Amino acid sequence: MSIERHHVVVIGAGPAGTACAGMLADRGHDVALVTRPEPPAAELAESIPASARRLMDEVGVLDAVDAADFHPNGGNTVWWAGRPERSEPFAEGLRGVHVDRAGLEAVLRARAAERGVRVLADAPVRSVSPLGADGWQAVAGDRTLRASWLVDASGRAGVLARGARTDDRATGTLALIGRWRIEGARDQPDTTHTWIESHADGWVWSVPLTADTRCVTAMLDPRRSETERGPDPGATLETEIVRAPAIAARLTDAVRLGEATACPASLYTTGAFTVERALVAGDAGSFIDPLSSYGVKKAFASGWLAAIAVHTSITDESMWEAAFAYFDAREREVYRRYRALSVPFFEEAAETYGTEFWTARAAAARRAATGEGAGSAIDAGAIDAAPIDPADALAADVDADARVGDLDVREAYEEIRRRPGVQLVPGRTLEKTTRPLVRGDRIVLADHLSSGRLARPVRYVRHVDLVTLVELAPRYDQVPDLFEAYERRATRVELPDFLGALAFAVGKGFLDLPDWRPTRPDVTI
């Protein structure tokens, strides 16, 4: 058997794998993308929100997705925790898309091939093995491939990560999936909306694929459901839909198309998102509740950063350990943040229904949100950019940005507004440390700031470079002059973002304002 050699082998042709492979090919690297002949969840449909457009553009697939003419995504219609119907349209002019997973992956594979990726669509991976400093060997179909770098984006199959995963046993989840054609659907007011409805032991959500065809999925925990599962997933699915009366009413005149399917949808994360010269990206590394439209965004985000980490490592091998540690920390933090976002929804349902399904899920999400039991190659708080939408990782640090609303920051903002001028000086507890961050298409080591009031190093807040701001601030006693000087030195930012970052720098002790101290004493956060 002959051996093919490449710079990088990427396993899996979903959003994470194709994003990573395409970006690496764009940068001149020899990339092989290997995948099984058919996607594992051919009936699955997913929503991609309007907020993902910038990210899809960043990974080089936006034009291809737009050209595929998928059904538009205009927002959500929600019946949650017994509350009245709530319509959540996207802002005027903003549209995402609803996609069938098989159709999306076909578009993404074709786009990767156009960019110079060697796409092997008939190559299920039989084994992978490390070769030490020489990288990895993968046996895929009847081929043997060797590469200096490997990216596992194989989804739930988890070629590398499966043995190291930690399942969230408190939230076992099964997805039952079917498709319906709805007579008269074109007369409904929200033919572009995802429908989401909770009930006592789960929830049902529906994604439109055309104006009159919908994928409907029921999420349940078989251990905690009143519905008895029989041999026919379709019958079980129809029973679950009845438990979501608003959606059931909209399907009254609908006809089911084909057979329903069942697939696992339980949550998990992995103990290590990196192995020597290999990364675990997308759903291969972690899987979150399909409660909203985060899943595809999360996968694209992971593929984006995986490509940057590998590109950094190829172009400067002395950086590969730092780049991989950054990727590992960021993936852990993103998983934690997504779990944190689900907490209020689960708690609301738990309060309404009081069932074990929701109380257990809320408790598990709270534990995951605090990072209990999660180790990391580096302190996740030290990552300069770990946002939910990684396109923002080009500038903003979410941990720091969230603290713009802290009491000491609000007090600093009011004090700056009150004074006719400011005489800022470097903070008495200001320290600089070197940490990794994303700059362009590389991970680099750069100065970050910390202080007695904020021990976690940060670089950016609201797209404002704090290092540049702190350097310039003592030279100006008028905020408008400082703002103009910053934009000459760095990049253009919105004035409210600049003022928020300035207040953050003062409130957190990076800059001192003479004769002023926040209400709270210095405390390491």
Side-chain angles (χ1 to χ4, degrees):
M1 182 183 294
S2 62
I3 296 175
E4 294 185 19
R5 298 182 185 276
H6 303 275
H7 292 149
V8 188
V9 166
V10 179
I11 302 171
T18 51
C20 178
M23 288 181 63
L24 288 170
D26 287 346
R27 285 151 181 81
H29 305 303
D30 175 11
V31 185
L33 178 68
V34 297
T35 186
R36 64 185 71 184
E38 295 294 334
E43 295 300 313
L44 185 64
E46 297 185 90
S47 295
I48 303 177
S51 61
R53 291 185 62 81
R54 180 183 172 193
L55 176 55
M56 290 193 290
D57 188 41
E58 190 69 31
V59 301
V61 301
L62 180 60
D63 289 346
V65 171
D66 281 348
D69 198 27
F70 290 114
H71 192 63
N73 178 3
N76 304 305
T77 300
V78 182
W79 303 266
W80 193 261
R83 304 296 190 267
E85 176 183 315
R86 184 172 72 251
S87 179
E88 300 173 340
F90 297 140
E92 186 174 353
L94 295 179
R95 284 291 183 272
V97 289
H98 298 293
V99 300
D100 68 285
R101 187 58 182 253
L104 175 65
E105 292 194 2
V107 168
L108 297 178
R109 286 197 304 272
R111 177 66 184 123
E114 289 173 359
R115 299 162 83 175
V117 176
R118 176 163 166 71
V119 179
L120 305 176
D122 58 346
V125 175
R126 292 158 46 195
S127 67
V128 292
S129 51
L131 301 175
D134 293 329
W136 289 81
Q137 176 172 290
V139 178
D142 59 357
R143 298 175 173 87
T144 298
L145 301 97
R146 287 184 179 175
S148 299
W149 308 92
L150 179 76
V151 177
D152 176 10
S154 59
R156 189 169 287 270
V159 171
L160 279 180
R162 192 174 185 86
R165 282 180 185 161
T166 300
D167 295 329
D168 190 336
R169 299 188 182 279
T171 59
T173 311
L174 180 71
L176 302 172
I177 307 164
R179 294 192 181 185
W180 271 259
R181 184 176 66 251
I182 306 175
E183 300 298 333
R186 296 170 189 271
D187 298 326
Q188 294 180 357
D190 55 2
T191 56
T192 66
H193 278 209
T194 302
W195 300 340
I196 308 166
E197 184 173 3
S198 66
H199 59 80
D201 297 311
W203 72 93
V204 177
W205 59 290
S206 172
V207 174
L209 295 173
T210 68
D212 54 10
T213 304
R214 279 186 169 265
C215 177
V216 182
T217 302
M219 313 298 294
L220 69 151
D221 183 341
R223 304 166 303 174
R224 298 186 172 112
S225 175
E226 294 180 359
T227 302
E228 290 191 14
R229 288 180 59 202
D232 178 10
T236 307
L237 173 56
E238 291 183 5
T239 301
E240 287 293 301
I241 291 172
V242 170
R243 304 188 69 188
I247 290 179
R250 295 186 174 209
L251 296 176
T252 299
D253 297 323
V255 177
R256 201 173 87 201
L257 304 174
E259 300 295 322
T261 58
C263 65
S266 297
L267 283 69
Y268 55 78
T269 187
T270 187
F273 290 89
T274 65
V275 184
E276 186 161 341
R277 294 182 175 269
L279 297 175
V280 179
D283 286 354
S286 66
F287 186 81
I288 58 172
D289 263 316
L291 186 61
S292 65
S293 304
Y294 293 142
V296 176
K297 283 181 67 176
K298 172 181 171 294
F300 277 135
S302 185
W304 170 83
L305 191 59
I308 288 174
V310 172
H311 176 61
T312 300
S313 303
I314 293 174
T315 53
D316 182 1
E317 191 153 343
S318 69
M319 277 292 295
W320 82 263
E321 290 182 333
F324 275 37
Y326 182 93
F327 178 86
D328 180 86
R330 183 262 180 196
E331 290 293 288
R332 293 174 188 275
E333 183 67 0
V334 166
Y335 177 76
R336 185 189 70 80
R337 289 186 183 281
Y338 277 119
R339 295 299 301 273
L341 285 172
S342 71
V343 169
F345 298 100
F346 293 154
E347 288 185 336
E348 185 179 15
E351 181 179 351
T352 297
Y353 303 117
T355 55
E356 190 176 2
F357 178 92
W358 292 110
T359 57
R361 201 163 287 257
R366 284 193 297 269
R367 289 193 299 272
T370 62
E372 289 181 24
S376 178
I378 60 174
D379 176 10
I383 8 185
D384 176 72
I388 298 306
D389 182 346
D392 287 342
L394 304 175
D397 176 274
V398 165
D399 266 341
D401 197 44
R403 292 200 175 103
V404 170
D406 281 2
L407 174 63
D408 42 16
V409 177
R410 294 199 305 271
E411 290 180 343
Y413 179 77
E414 293 301 327
E415 184 66 17
I416 292 169
R417 287 187 60 192
R418 185 185 67 80
R419 295 190 178 200
V422 293
Q423 297 81 40
L424 296 164
V425 297
R428 57 188 174 83
T429 61
L430 174 66
E431 294 185 0
K432 285 186 178 180
T433 56
T434 301
R435 292 288 187 273
L437 60 76
V438 175
R439 182 171 288 159
D441 59 5
R442 305 281 184 90
I443 295 170
V444 300
L445 298 177
D447 286 340
H448 288 58
L449 305 182
S450 60
S451 74
R453 297 193 60 79
L454 190 71
R456 283 181 157 188
V458 295
R459 176 69 186 241
Y460 292 96
V461 170
R462 293 188 172 182
H463 306 275
V464 175
D465 183 346
L466 292 174
V467 172
T468 300
L469 176 62
V470 168
E471 178 187 342
L472 291 172
R475 307 178 192 178
Y476 301 90
D477 60 8
Q478 296 296 319
V479 172
D481 295 339
L482 174 58
F483 178 57
E484 291 181 6
Y486 176 86
E487 288 202 316
R488 288 195 299 270
R489 172 73 68 84
T491 57
R492 292 187 59 83
V493 295
E494 297 295 327
L495 180 59
D497 290 335
F498 178 83
L499 294 176
L502 179 61
F504 180 91
V506 174
K508 294 305 179 187
F510 300 162
L511 290 167
D512 280 347
L513 193 59
D515 304 319
W516 178 83
R517 288 288 180 271
T519 300
R520 295 186 299 183
D522 278 0
V523 57
T524 297
I525 300 175

